[in-house]
Amino acid sequence: MNADKMAKMEVKTSLLDDMIGVGDMVLLEPLDEDSFINNLKKRFDHNEVYTYIGSVVISINPYRSLPIYTPEKVEEYRNRNFYELSPHIFALSDEAYRSLRDQDKDQCILITGESGAGKTEASKLVMSYVAAVCGKGAEVNQVKEQLLQSNPVLEAFGNAKTMRNDNSSRFGKYMDIEFDFKGDPLGGVISNYLLEKSRVVKQPRGERNFHIFYQILSGASEEFLCKLKLERDFSRYNYLGLDSARVNGVDDAANFRTVRNAMQIVGFMDHETQSVFEVVAAVLKLGNIEFKPESRANGLDESKIKDKNELKEICELTGIDQSVLERAFSFRTVEAKQEKVSTTLNVAQAYYARDALAKNLYSRLFSWLVTRINESIKAQTKVRKKVMGVLDIYGFEIFEDNSFEQFIINYCNEKLQQIFIELTLKEEQEEYIREGIEWTHIEYFNNAIICDLIENNQTGILAMLDEECLRPGTVTDDTFLEKLNQVCATHQHFESRMSKCSRFLNDTSLPHSCFRIQHYAGKVMYQVEGFVDKNNDLLYRDLSQAMWKANHSLIKALFPEGNPAKINLKRPPTAGSQFKASVATLMKNLQTKNPNYIRCIKPNDKKAAHIFNEALVCHQIRYLGLLENVRVRRAGYAFRQPYEPCLERYKMLCKQTWPHWRGPARAGVEVLFNELRIPEEEFSFGRSKIFIRNPRTLFKLEDLRKQRLEDLATLIGKIYRGWKCRTHFLLMKKCQVVIASWYRRYSQQKKYQKIKSSTITVQSYIRGWKARKQLRELKHLKRCNEAATVIAAYWHGTQVRREYRKFFRANAGRKIYEFTLQRIMQKYFLEMKNKMPSLSPIDKNWPARPYLFLESTHKELKRIFHLWRCKKYRDQFTDQQKLIYEEKLEASELFKDKKALYPASVGQPFQGAYLEISENPKYKKLKDAVDEKIIIAEVVNKINRANGKAASRIFLLTKNNVLLADQKSGTIKSEVPLGDVTKVSMSSQNDGFFAVHLKEGSEAASKGDFLLSSDHLIEMATKLYRTTLSQTKQKLNIEISDEFLVQFKQDKVCVKFIQGSQKNGNIPTCKRKNNRLLEVAVP
């Protein structure tokens, strides 16, 4: 909160400050209907939508959002006196909450007004304020959240769009919020009254059914709609009015998501939510069932369902046998003692049964929802609780066509008006007695006579309606009206054209089928049509039993009377008697609590902002009895205020009380009023409050205070300006003294600096002259000493040279040369020590030669160092590594720059055993046949001598033999001693072909030489070379040529290698050209 808002909040101490119009109607002068309306209009035009009548709040619906409900506003009204700030619903909420918390008084907040006046929003604001100011904590926050989230659920199922209101509550709601001793919420209990279930099957033109139907169709996913057997198109359902299916500014899809989230927060389980929506879908689909007439043989008419597809889907949703439900729509069974009579239903009766089932199903679902919510939000502890009740109920209704619903609603409002007058007078009387003020009787209209007309147990309208419904024989609305005309004809508040009272016989404004009641809010004409049926609220027993037979747990629970084991032949209570009992319970509950009233007014019928229809507001003021309320409040004393705030507000009007009064507040107020010479009949002193009889007296005090505040403001301004000027003068004087002292100091500092600078300059010149003089003397002395030293040195040198001339000439040159050479060599080696390269054998860096005569030494040293670091590197090898490097070195000597395949083999380690002979059971026979160590085992391709085609063979090299074996069977095909191998031939190209030449005349050479192909040619040739050298002590001849001769039995064949692209990619191919030529194509 910024500083401006803080300042404003601190300054404002009464609703009389900066008042637009009159904030409290009790202070209105003159008091009449026109001034009352003008005051409301003036405040409404300035966005002041709240006005007081004493402790009653008048709320005018602005039809737009106003910035007066922010968290800052909540804090502003928190723990403040009721009359301390501008009128606001938060002030009443805070007063009620603090009375409950601090004084341990149960509270109730009664919110009344007609449809569209903002009752539902007012109840939300009250609950949100209480939730904001009460305690914090995880458990408390959860309770608050559940209480607040119960609203969206009940609004979705109980509210609808009407001509007067887009979110009209079509049921009455009373919520008891329970608190602990600290004022933290523990839970709540909700009671609902008279849901307008007739809206389920029929809505007036321009209005909608209950919100939940449109929300499901708009917001549910396609998959969810499919489960409910619904379609998104509103026009598919007869129970939904199409002319107002869409409402501007209302997002049904978003509201559906809000409702599902709210149900989850309140505590509905997933299967419960699913069951609820299944029942809603069933109600919606019931409206699509249509009937057709059909004549029976006995001449009676009966009805049949036209299209049974809708019935089938309803039965699938609810788990009801289709034949059972179909029969319930076509027949009615009447039971009397031990007899059962079954009659057929004509089309009109079938439609009545269908609509009755839809209404009952939805009404009972709504009651179940309220009960289920109560289970979730009820207090979990057994401790004593404080209770705050919030009543949001329909206001007084006067339509063009008023029926049973309006009659019941207006009866409820009569009872609320009765308790309002009684509690208001009671509160006034208690305050007068508490303060010791004499109580005077107040004349007011007591509407008990109207309530008695409606609810009297013998002659009341409800009693006669119940009697008519229970009477045997033909019962119609006309017979009911006739009975009313007989019993109520002489009642002064009952009017009927057919009554015995002759004064209404010629009243053309009163039709014959209507009666009129003069309520406290005005006359209302009721059409008697439908009173009997709506009061009966009849649902055929066949339908109840069909619902009880459903496999749907929720539907079965909604119709307990359908259980055949619990058949009750007693007629169920009528709607009127049920509502009368509920209202009696409500009134009894309200009388045990301290009442707080919010009267809601609708400014116009267009639901538009900034429009104030005086005629409409006047009508509401009359039927809400607001003027009478003001008169009751003003009877005796119009204004009362505790002594402390009164003295604090008006103490500046008396010199004795200004600025501080040291004694008791009451004594100060007495001194103040005596000083102002206010007539004694205009005020009275209570025990803790001052009572002012006439508003004019209060306004006189306010005018005097305003004038005095202006005088005080002028005086304060004068004193402030004088103080400011004196302060400014003293500050300027002090500044002048400071500036003068600083200037004088600065001036003296400058003068001193100038003298000091001049002195230093003179001193520097003198010191410089002395220093230069001394320098000249020292230089002269130094030159003299140097000259003497030089002369002496030359003289001593001459003497020495004369003495040692013969020695110097014989040895001095050689010794100097040796010494110089020694120093150069020493320096060279020391530099080499610091510039030595790394120990890596492949590092070719070497320091540059410093002297030309060291050329050979430098090269030799480089060679020795390289040999030494190679030795150091080799010493790190294991025996296995040495063997590998020896083989690699041997391969380098044999094939480097000779065989194109060699570079690719350098990076490949020589493994030798490429076949796991010892581990593979396939080669067990081969392993048993070879008892020597196998040096290399590899699969090679043996070239056929006849056609050049290849055959896979296993090539084995042992210490003494070369063996070729069959790859599949492991059978040894050839075994050649190493001594019989004379030469190995291969090409210089990138191929794996090689020929193993055998010694002529040997046993193995009988079939000729071997022409083989291998992927590891370099390794095989190297190992064969080293093994032969090791065993025979003779080097094996390795011939590398692109043409060589191979002995095939008795013939010698030339193997020629050529370049060319191959169809097989990069694989060399061998082809027999003729008897003497075998051609190998290498890619």
Side-chain angles (χ1 to χ4, degrees):
M1 186 180 293
N2 58 35
D4 293 340
K5 288 186 178 179
M6 284 290 291
K8 183 177 180 182
M9 190 179 75
E10 292 300 327
V11 170
K12 189 159 187 175
T13 59
S14 172
L15 63 83
L16 299 173
D17 291 328
D18 303 325
M19 188 167 57
I20 297 171
V22 178
D24 190 343
M25 288 294 187
V26 175
L27 305 178
L28 187 63
E29 278 292 327
L31 179 60
D32 54 41
E33 195 171 81
D34 291 338
S35 62
F36 194 99
I37 295 172
N38 289 336
N39 187 55
L40 287 179
K41 185 176 187 304
K42 183 178 182 180
R43 292 179 61 78
F44 179 78
D45 292 340
H46 288 81
N47 296 329
E48 293 287 344
V49 297
Y50 296 111
T51 308
Y52 291 155
I53 301 177
S55 60
V56 177
V57 176
I58 301 174
S59 171
I60 302 180
N61 192 344
Y63 286 117
R64 62 193 178 97
S65 297
L66 294 176
I68 59 174
Y69 308 108
T70 60
E72 291 78 10
K73 275 290 180 184
V74 172
E75 289 301 319
E76 185 177 339
Y77 280 86
R78 186 173 186 173
N79 294 326
R80 302 295 287 268
N81 185 276
F82 186 76
Y83 296 103
E84 192 172 342
L85 299 174
S86 299
H88 201 291
I89 195 172
F90 286 170
L92 181 137
S93 304
D94 187 73
E95 184 77 12
Y97 176 71
R98 286 192 292 116
S99 297
L100 174 134
R101 182 192 63 192
D102 302 335
Q103 301 176 21
D104 206 19
K105 293 181 180 179
D106 287 350
Q107 304 289 316
C108 64
I109 298 176
L110 308 181
I111 306 171
T112 55
E114 72 173 53
S115 179
K119 300 187 300 298
T120 301
E121 287 301 316
S123 68
K124 289 181 185 177
L125 289 171
V126 171
M127 292 178 64
S128 64
Y129 179 85
V130 174
V133 298
C134 63
K136 302 292 187 290
E139 186 174 346
V140 173
N141 288 339
Q142 182 182 1
V143 172
K144 290 193 290 188
E145 187 67 15
Q146 286 186 334
L147 290 173
L148 293 175
Q149 289 299 324
S150 65
N151 282 325
V153 179
L154 294 179
E155 283 185 16
F157 287 86
N159 288 23
K161 189 261 183 192
T162 65
M163 294 295 292
R164 299 183 176 186
N165 187 2
D166 289 344
N167 188 32
S168 176
S169 298
R170 307 319 299 163
F171 70 104
K173 181 179 75 172
Y174 176 73
M175 173 183 281
D176 268 334
I177 307 173
E178 299 172 335
F179 298 83
D180 63 9
F181 70 96
K182 303 191 299 294
D184 294 340
L186 296 173
V189 179
I190 299 173
S191 302
N192 66 299
Y193 302 96
L194 194 67
L195 177 73
E196 188 190 15
K197 56 186 177 182
S198 61
R199 182 171 292 272
V200 173
V201 300
K202 185 180 181 182
Q203 308 90 42
R205 186 171 183 81
E207 298 189 5
R208 295 206 313 176
N209 210 323
F210 292 102
H211 292 325
I212 190 63
F213 296 114
Y214 305 93
Q215 291 174 359
I216 287 181
L217 298 182
S218 299
S221 64
E222 294 294 340
E223 180 184 359
F224 192 62
L225 287 177
C226 185
K227 286 182 180 179
L228 299 181
K229 305 187 183 303
L230 295 176
E231 299 178 19
R232 207 173 290 280
D233 185 9
F234 293 163
S235 62
R236 287 275 295 108
Y237 304 100
N238 297 331
Y239 280 165
L240 301 184
L242 299 180
D243 52 339
S244 298
R246 303 286 182 186
V247 181
N248 292 333
V250 176
D251 187 348
D252 288 318
N255 290 341
F256 179 70
R257 293 190 291 272
T258 302
V259 170
R260 295 203 68 169
N261 183 56
M263 293 178 76
Q264 186 176 6
I265 293 174
V266 169
F268 282 82
M269 307 299 288
D270 289 341
H271 72 274
E272 291 177 323
T273 305
Q274 178 70 23
S275 297
V276 168
F277 289 131
E278 286 173 353
V279 174
V280 173
V283 171
L284 199 57
K285 296 182 75 63
L286 274 173
N288 290 351
I289 295 179
E290 296 183 346
F291 302 93
K292 60 183 178 179
E294 188 172 299
S295 298
R296 301 182 68 180
N298 57 6
L300 296 176
D301 289 337
E302 67 175 11
S303 61
K304 291 292 183 181
I305 297 175
K306 288 183 181 180
D307 183 4
K308 296 185 180 180
N309 186 50
E310 292 285 354
L311 181 67
K312 178 184 176 183
E313 292 184 351
I314 292 173
C315 292
E316 290 174 356
L317 271 175
T318 57
I320 302 173
D321 187 355
Q322 183 175 344
S323 61
V324 173
L325 187 57
E326 184 177 2
R327 175 175 175 79
F329 280 134
S330 303
F331 293 89
R332 178 187 178 188
T333 303
V334 179
E335 299 184 19
K337 295 183 179 180
Q338 301 301 321
E339 298 181 5
K340 288 186 179 181
V341 179
S342 181
T343 61
T344 60
L345 299 179
N346 58 32
V347 172
Q349 292 171 330
Y351 277 117
Y352 173 83
R354 179 200 69 179
D355 292 345
L357 176 60
K359 290 187 290 185
N360 272 272
L361 192 56
Y362 191 83
S363 175
R364 297 183 188 203
L365 172 65
F366 187 79
S367 299
W368 181 88
L369 281 172
V370 173
T371 304
R372 180 64 183 82
I373 291 173
N374 285 336
E375 290 177 4
S376 295
I377 66 175
K378 68 180 179 182
Q380 302 299 321
T381 60
K382 301 289 186 180
V383 297
R384 181 180 176 277
K385 309 175 187 69
K386 305 175 183 180
V387 178
M388 177 185 288
V390 180
L391 178 65
D392 172 12
I393 202 161
Y394 3 70
F396 201 87
E397 292 188 348
I398 305 175
F399 299 149
E400 290 184 6
D401 297 327
N402 301 290
S403 186
F404 180 75
E405 291 84 2
Q406 282 69 45
F407 176 75
I408 291 295
I409 288 170
N410 293 342
Y411 161 62
C412 179
N413 278 272
E414 286 285 355
K415 295 294 288 183
L416 288 175
Q417 176 69 8
Q418 184 181 27
I419 196 173
F420 169 70
I421 296 295
E422 289 177 0
L423 293 179
T424 301
L425 291 176
K426 181 181 177 183
E427 183 183 1
E428 285 285 298
Q429 185 175 9
E430 286 178 351
E431 184 174 21
Y432 277 47
I433 295 171
R434 187 169 57 248
E435 292 293 329
I437 304 296
E438 183 180 354
W439 171 255
T440 57
H441 179 72
I442 299 172
E443 292 294 335
Y444 67 96
F445 171 68
N446 189 345
N447 68 337
I449 188 172
I450 303 175
C451 296
D452 185 70
L453 170 66
I454 298 173
E455 66 182 4
N456 188 283
N457 290 332
Q458 282 77 35
T459 60
I461 295 176
L462 287 176
M464 286 184 287
L465 180 60
D466 287 350
E467 183 180 331
E468 191 68 13
C469 290
L470 297 173
R471 181 175 61 83
T474 304
V475 177
T476 64
D477 296 320
D478 293 334
T479 60
F480 165 62
L481 183 58
E482 288 177 7
K483 188 157 192 155
L484 286 183
N485 291 332
Q486 293 173 5
V487 177
C488 304
T490 59
H491 198 287
Q492 57 182 337
H493 292 274
F494 178 84
E495 301 175 4
S496 172
R497 198 165 180 180
M498 302 300 292
S499 68
K500 298 176 182 178
C501 187
S502 59
R503 59 195 174 102
F504 301 113
L505 291 176
N506 298 320
D507 188 353
T508 57
S509 64
L510 185 60
H512 292 284
S513 61
C514 299
F515 66 92
R516 189 158 54 203
I517 295 178
Q518 186 174 349
H519 291 280
Y520 78 93
K523 293 183 178 181
V524 183
M525 183 174 65
Y526 299 100
Q527 291 183 346
V528 76
E529 181 184 355
F531 262 63
V532 173
D533 285 342
K534 291 176 181 178
N535 189 51
N536 271 325
D537 193 22
L538 186 62
L539 179 68
Y540 297 150
R541 185 173 286 112
D542 301 74
L543 289 172
S544 298
Q545 292 177 351
M547 293 296 105
W548 188 84
K549 292 177 182 178
N551 291 329
H552 197 282
S553 58
L554 176 56
I555 292 180
K556 190 167 186 174
L558 295 180
F559 293 87
E561 75 276 12
N563 187 351
K566 298 180 181 180
I567 292 179
N568 185 4
L569 299 181
K570 184 179 178 181
R571 190 180 182 91
T574 61
S577 60
Q578 290 181 41
F579 188 74
K580 178 182 173 182
S582 298
V583 169
T585 304
L586 176 63
M587 296 302 116
K588 185 177 179 181
N589 192 352
L590 295 179
Q591 285 176 339
T592 63
K593 296 179 173 61
N594 185 50
N596 302 272
Y597 298 95
I598 301 173
R599 302 297 206 183
C600 297
I601 292 178
K602 181 168 64 173
N604 60 79
D605 278 328
K606 298 179 181 179
K607 295 178 278 190
H610 306 295
I611 298 178
F612 190 90
N613 187 324
E614 294 186 11
L616 178 64
V617 172
C618 178
H619 172 69
Q620 295 173 79
I621 289 172
R622 288 175 182 171
Y623 78 65
L624 285 173
L626 298 184
L627 271 174
E628 190 172 47
N629 188 4
V630 177
R631 292 191 181 100
V632 170
R633 179 74 181 189
R634 284 179 59 163
Y637 296 93
F639 183 76
R640 72 275 332 254
Q641 190 175 27
Y643 291 121
E644 288 80 4
C646 180
L647 180 62
E648 185 66 26
R649 185 168 183 80
Y650 301 113
K651 65 181 180 179
M652 71 287 297
L653 300 180
C654 177
K655 292 182 180 180
Q656 299 178 48
T657 57
W658 176 259
H660 300 291
W661 173 257
R662 302 298 180 185
R666 173 171 177 167
V669 174
E670 290 178 355
V671 170
L672 174 65
F673 275 52
N674 291 332
E675 179 74 17
L676 295 176
R677 297 180 181 178
I678 298 175
E680 292 184 1
E681 63 270 13
E682 286 295 319
F683 63 90
S684 290
F685 293 105
R687 291 189 177 91
S688 64
K689 293 180 181 180
I690 177 73
F691 287 75
I692 298 175
R693 186 178 301 279
N694 201 306
R696 285 192 298 271
T697 304
L698 180 65
F699 291 138
K700 179 182 177 182
L701 287 173
E702 284 296 313
D703 292 339
L704 291 173
R705 179 178 181 272
K706 183 177 181 183
Q707 182 61 42
R708 182 58 179 159
L709 287 177
E710 291 177 358
D711 296 340
L712 289 175
T714 303
L715 177 62
I716 292 171
K718 180 179 71 173
I719 295 173
Y720 172 74
R721 286 192 297 273
W723 170 83
K724 188 174 182 182
C725 289
R726 283 193 299 276
T727 304
H728 182 67
F729 168 75
L730 292 175
L731 181 62
M732 293 290 288
K733 182 179 178 181
K734 183 179 178 181
C735 292
Q736 186 272 331
V737 173
V738 172
I739 292 171
S741 65
W742 276 84
Y743 177 74
R744 286 194 297 272
R745 190 182 77 168
Y746 170 77
S747 178
Q748 292 300 318
Q749 284 179 339
K750 291 291 289 184
K751 185 177 180 180
Y752 167 75
Q753 291 292 342
K754 189 174 182 181
I755 295 172
K756 181 180 178 182
S757 178
S758 301
T759 304
I760 291 172
T761 302
V762 173
Q763 288 176 347
S764 65
Y765 273 102
I766 293 173
R767 283 194 297 269
W769 175 77
K770 287 183 177 181
R772 286 191 296 274
K773 181 180 177 181
Q774 186 180 5
L775 179 62
R776 283 195 299 270
E777 292 175 354
L778 290 173
K779 283 183 177 180
H780 177 70
L781 180 61
K782 181 180 179 183
R783 284 197 296 271
C784 291
N785 291 334
E786 288 178 350
T789 302
V790 170
I791 293 171
Y794 272 96
W795 168 252
H796 289 304
T798 302
Q799 292 298 321
V800 170
R801 283 192 296 275
R802 286 177 182 174
E803 183 68 28
Y804 295 99
R805 189 180 301 273
K806 57 182 178 180
F807 300 106
F808 182 76
R809 286 177 179 174
N811 299 314
R814 183 172 57 81
K815 287 186 177 293
I816 291 172
Y817 172 76
E818 289 176 355
F819 176 78
T820 303
L821 191 63
Q822 183 181 0
R823 293 299 298 167
I824 290 173
M825 292 298 292
Q826 186 179 10
K827 181 180 178 182
Y828 167 69
F829 283 115
L830 287 174
E831 289 179 352
M832 286 296 293
K833 177 182 178 182
N834 296 326
K835 296 180 180 180
M836 294 298 282
S838 67
L839 295 179
S840 174
I842 62 173
D843 186 358
K844 296 186 179 181
N845 294 325
W846 188 251
R849 167 180 48 78
Y851 303 103
L852 183 61
F853 74 90
L854 292 175
E855 175 71 26
S856 58
T857 303
H858 197 65
K859 289 183 179 179
E860 184 63 19
L861 189 61
K862 178 180 179 181
R863 186 184 69 81
I864 294 171
F865 177 77
H866 180 67
L867 293 176
W868 173 77
R869 69 183 175 184
C870 288
K871 181 179 180 304
K872 294 287 287 183
Y873 185 75
R874 289 194 303 273
D875 290 345
Q876 300 174 6
F877 295 160
T878 62
D879 293 340
Q880 183 67 25
Q881 288 176 322
K882 286 181 181 179
L883 179 62
I884 292 172
Y885 280 106
E886 285 175 1
E887 289 180 345
K888 284 290 185 180
L889 184 61
E890 195 78 59
S892 174
E893 292 175 354
L894 291 172
F895 302 109
K896 186 176 181 181
D897 299 330
K898 298 176 183 178
K899 178 68 174 173
L901 190 63
Y902 171 73
S905 70
V906 173
Q908 300 175 355
F910 289 172
Q911 298 181 10
Y914 289 96
L915 298 177
E916 297 176 351
I917 300 294
S918 59
E919 297 179 5
N920 196 333
K922 177 180 178 181
Y923 302 122
K924 185 177 184 304
K925 181 178 180 182
L926 182 61
K927 177 186 174 185
D928 296 340
V930 178
D931 56 357
E932 295 179 298
K933 179 182 178 182
I934 298 173
I935 298 173
I936 187 168
E938 164 70 331
V939 175
V940 298
N941 291 322
K942 182 175 179 296
I943 306 304
N944 192 292
R945 300 176 177 87
N947 53 19
K949 293 185 179 180
S952 295
R953 292 288 187 270
I954 296 175
F955 182 90
L956 298 178
L957 174 62
T958 64
K959 288 185 177 181
N960 298 310
N961 299 296
V962 173
L963 295 89
L964 289 177
D966 185 80
Q967 185 184 7
K968 294 182 179 180
S969 63
T971 305
I972 297 175
K973 296 290 186 180
S974 302
E975 183 175 359
V976 180
L978 289 179
D980 293 343
V981 178
T982 59
K983 182 173 66 172
V984 175
S985 300
M986 64 188 71
S987 73
S988 62
Q989 299 185 37
N990 194 19
D991 63 274
F993 285 85
F994 67 99
V996 179
H997 300 276
L998 305 179
K999 185 187 295 184
E1000 293 183 7
S1002 65
E1003 183 182 353
S1006 60
K1007 294 183 179 180
D1009 302 333
F1010 298 116
L1011 181 60
L1012 308 172
S1013 173
S1014 172
D1015 293 336
H1016 302 91
L1017 170 61
I1018 302 300
E1019 181 181 359
M1020 294 178 68
T1022 302
K1023 287 184 179 292
L1024 182 60
Y1025 177 85
R1026 287 175 59 83
T1027 306
T1028 303
L1029 179 62
S1030 174
Q1031 295 299 320
T1032 63
K1033 307 302 181 182
Q1034 294 180 357
K1035 292 183 179 181
L1036 180 64
N1037 184 17
I1038 304 295
E1039 179 185 358
I1040 300 175
S1041 174
D1042 288 344
E1043 291 187 17
F1044 53 81
L1045 295 176
V1046 179
Q1047 182 74 36
F1048 286 165
K1049 291 186 179 181
Q1050 304 302 323
D1051 300 328
K1052 287 191 176 183
V1053 178
C1054 176
V1055 179
K1056 184 177 181 180
F1057 293 83
I1058 62 173
Q1059 293 285 340
S1061 59
Q1062 300 297 318
K1063 296 180 181 179
N1064 295 331
N1066 295 326
I1067 302 174
T1069 57
C1070 182
K1071 188 175 182 182
R1072 185 74 178 259
K1073 287 295 186 179
N1074 50 51
N1075 293 336
R1076 299 293 181 181
L1077 178 62
L1078 192 64
E1079 195 174 81
V1080 179
V1082 181

